[in-house]
Amino acid sequence: VLLWVLSAVAIVVLGNAVIHSKIFSQASIETIDAPFVGLRNDHIAVAADNTPNGNTQPRRKWAYVYLMAGCDSTNPGNHLGMLYNVVVAARVLRNAGSKVDIVVMVEMFHSAPNDRLLPEEERMLRESGVKIKYMERSNEKMTFHEATLRKFEILKLTEYSRVLYMDADVIPFCSMDDLFDLSEPDPQALADQGLTQPVLRENMVLTWTSSPANGGFFMLRPAPGFYDEIQAIIERQEKEASLITKGPKFNQTRGWGHVFEGGDDVWTTFRHIEDRKKGLNKKWAWHCEHGDQGLLYYWVKYHRRDVSIIIGPTTEHWVDRDGSAVLDHRDSLVLDKYACVNDQAPLVKDRGFPSPALPYTSFRHFTGPNKPWLRAKITQIEKGEAAQAAGADIFWWQTLRDASLDLNFTIQFGTVAQTTAYGRSNSKEQLDAKIRKRVQQMEGNTTR
């Protein structure tokens, strides 16, 4: 089941000389803005204090971002569950009072005859208050490994100063706008509280059961050039991997570019806390370390060197000192009085979290086959308030039903595929196959 954790996620273009022929440019994202319709319009205002457009970085302009990959109007079952999930998430956030933008990045399947979603699908998103951004499609079918990396195209969203990414099988239960504010507070408010630095760093990741950085829920700061930087990291790692002649094409000592030194410089998951205390976690050896969850950890901790890593009730804050990542300080339960405002599912107790601390309980990640849209036995829901639901899946269906009534669309039961267009397994074998193909391409170019 763990291999399915990212099954509704989508996904990355792998840099310059990689399998795909070019890096996707800033201009490759087409935006469709949408007025918010169907809920209270006073909830749509974005965070204030934005600087003018141009070379100046925006301030306090934030977005929740989803990603739908492998979309195809001729085979909508592959993306319909993700589409419904974004509609549910948007409704929850707006009902909870969120004032932050909601964005969905849409990648059309490489062989899809259409360049965009069906008009009715676009309408559902627009009237849910979701901004649609179309991504440039790949020129050939990607593996799931390649696909999972594509989420880092959120770094292109430089009109925002913070983006909170959620996999397309994650729903919030409340407004999490405070997470943005804790990372990028109003300077005067910070001074009024006698604080010299924000509660959270510019990037935030959550440790999970089997990974030190969960790839399904994290916050990053986009900025011009960041996407090119992460593409260069991917290309460098692939070049190094192509030199490995025996065994897997991922070096678990160096990983994405850092050798763990021990002491504070080790990683942990909820399953490896005791190993960390013993200083044993010095290898890049966790779930999806060769993919998005390894790259994410490297990007925020060792490349940007500016991250708050949430480990249950404890938060570690890592900073840059003389070009090295250094643990600045730890604090405990700092997020418990923030992070979840106006809970819309108060009766849902089982939220699938590895820790009872916030923000773990602020959302639900429907991993593997546990996605509501794959659970046909609960599709015949009763009328009533979503807030009365005692289970997360029932809450999801009730919220979708309410959205369908308000926005006048028909829920298409029984048409959703069991997996994404790119499969559901992110294996090292896919990485190995990709590297072999890269080597063949390089050898072909040399002989010309």
Side-chain angles (χ1 to χ4, degrees):
V1 170
L2 283 175
L3 292 176
W4 292 3
V5 167
L6 299 168
S7 63
V9 163
I11 325 206
V12 146
V13 190
L14 298 170
N16 296 21
V18 199
I19 289 183
H20 304 109
S21 60
K22 63 178 180 178
I23 290 179
F24 295 128
S25 66
Q26 291 289 131
S28 68
I29 298 181
E30 175 194 359
T31 304
I32 299 179
D33 289 331
F36 186 72
V37 179
L39 300 177
R40 296 188 296 276
N41 286 322
D42 58 331
H43 285 176
I44 192 173
V46 297
D49 299 333
N50 300 316
T51 55
N53 292 330
N55 295 326
T56 305
Q57 275 293 100
R59 277 194 48 77
R60 293 175 58 79
K61 181 70 187 293
W62 310 320
Y64 298 99
V65 180
Y66 280 94
L67 185 55
M68 290 169 45
C71 300
D72 184 349
S73 64
T74 63
N75 188 18
N78 282 335
H79 68 262
L80 201 54
M82 295 186 286
L83 176 72
Y84 287 160
N85 195 75
V86 174
V87 170
V88 168
R91 186 176 183 87
V92 171
L93 289 169
R94 294 307 184 213
N95 280 347
S98 172
K99 297 181 180 180
V100 172
D101 279 7
I102 304 170
V103 174
V104 62
M105 300 176 68
V106 177
E107 186 261 349
M108 303 303 296
F109 196 53
H110 75 287
S111 61
N114 50 305
D115 293 325
R116 57 199 311 146
L117 300 172
L118 293 173
E120 173 65 2
E121 294 173 339
E122 288 188 346
R123 183 189 70 83
M124 290 165 56
L125 291 169
R126 286 197 310 270
E127 294 187 5
S128 295
V130 178
K131 295 176 181 287
I132 306 170
K133 292 181 177 289
Y134 283 97
M135 308 163 72
E136 187 171 338
R137 71 172 79 187
S138 169
N139 56 18
E140 62 182 4
K141 183 176 180 179
M142 294 181 289
T143 64
F144 192 78
H145 166 76
E146 294 171 302
T148 56
L149 293 176
R150 192 154 192 188
K151 64 183 65 174
F152 294 103
E153 289 194 45
I154 64 174
L155 293 172
K156 293 180 180 180
L157 302 180
T158 54
E159 66 268 36
Y160 296 104
S161 54
R162 297 288 188 277
V163 292
L164 198 161
Y165 171 85
M166 290 182 281
D167 274 355
D169 54 359
V170 173
I171 61 164
F173 290 116
C174 51
S175 170
M176 295 178 286
D177 292 8
D178 278 353
L179 292 175
F180 297 100
D181 199 36
L182 293 172
S183 176
E184 191 182 20
D186 177 81
Q188 186 58 52
L190 195 68
D192 290 345
Q193 297 177 55
L195 300 176
T196 59
Q197 60 182 353
V199 173
L200 294 175
R201 306 298 303 179
E202 66 178 38
N203 303 293
M204 179 200 75
V205 297
L206 273 62
T207 293
W208 212 254
T209 307
S210 56
S211 173
N214 186 291
F217 185 97
F218 56 88
M219 181 168 63
L220 298 183
R221 178 174 81 89
F226 280 9
Y227 180 69
D228 289 343
E229 289 180 27
I230 205 166
Q231 288 293 80
I233 292 169
I234 295 170
E235 183 179 0
R236 182 199 67 203
Q237 197 275 339
E238 291 185 351
K239 286 180 178 178
E240 293 175 356
S242 68
L243 301 177
I244 300 175
T245 57
K246 296 182 179 179
K249 303 295 185 181
F250 185 78
N251 185 328
Q252 290 190 322
T253 298
R254 177 174 168 77
W256 285 92
H258 176 79
V259 177
F260 295 108
E261 297 178 354
D264 288 329
D265 185 26
V266 292
W267 57 269
T268 192
T269 72
F270 283 103
R271 290 178 176 173
H272 297 87
I273 290 178
E274 292 302 317
D275 288 344
R276 174 182 180 159
K277 292 177 180 178
K278 299 174 184 177
L280 300 179
N281 299 346
K282 297 182 181 180
K283 296 287 187 181
W284 291 75
W286 58 78
H287 179 61
C288 249
E289 81 282 3
H290 62 288
D292 62 324
Q293 299 193 139
L295 178 57
L296 173 63
Y297 193 68
Y298 177 77
W299 173 260
V300 297
K301 188 176 181 182
Y302 298 111
H303 186 78
R304 292 300 309 150
R305 297 185 288 277
D306 194 336
V307 62
S308 294
I309 302 176
I310 301 174
I311 310 170
T314 301
T315 303
E316 295 186 348
H317 306 277
W318 289 79
V319 300
D320 185 325
R321 289 187 187 153
D322 301 322
S324 296
V326 175
L327 177 61
D328 184 73
H329 68 283
R330 293 186 178 96
D331 46 38
S332 182
L333 297 174
V334 68
L335 299 180
D336 270 19
K337 57 183 177 181
Y338 307 104
C340 191
V341 177
N342 295 331
D343 196 320
Q344 299 294 294
L347 300 184
V348 176
K349 305 303 180 185
D350 181 10
R351 301 192 172 190
F353 49 77
S355 169
L358 290 173
Y360 290 92
T361 58
S362 301
F363 63 94
R364 174 65 183 267
H365 194 169
F366 294 107
T367 58
N370 298 315
K371 307 183 196 319
W373 54 91
L374 300 181
R375 306 278 299 274
K377 65 181 181 181
I378 61 168
T379 57
Q380 301 303 318
I381 52 182
E382 299 295 331
K383 292 183 178 181
E385 295 292 330
Q388 302 305 310
D393 46 4
I394 299 295
F395 172 77
W396 189 93
W397 277 109
Q398 186 64 58
T399 305
L400 180 65
R401 173 193 172 277
D402 293 345
S404 72
L405 294 175
D406 284 352
L407 304 179
N408 192 28
F409 66 85
T410 301
I411 302 173
Q412 300 180 44
F413 295 126
T415 62
V416 180
Q418 295 292 311
T419 184
T420 70
Y422 300 113
R424 60 193 178 199
S425 176
N426 190 351
S427 66
K428 290 186 176 67
E429 288 74 20
Q430 292 178 2
L431 172 62
D432 292 351
K434 181 177 185 298
I435 298 303
R436 285 194 297 271
K437 186 170 183 178
R438 176 190 170 89
V439 171
Q440 292 171 358
Q441 289 180 335
M442 294 172 61
E443 291 174 346
N445 292 334
T446 302
T447 58
R448 288 191 181 96

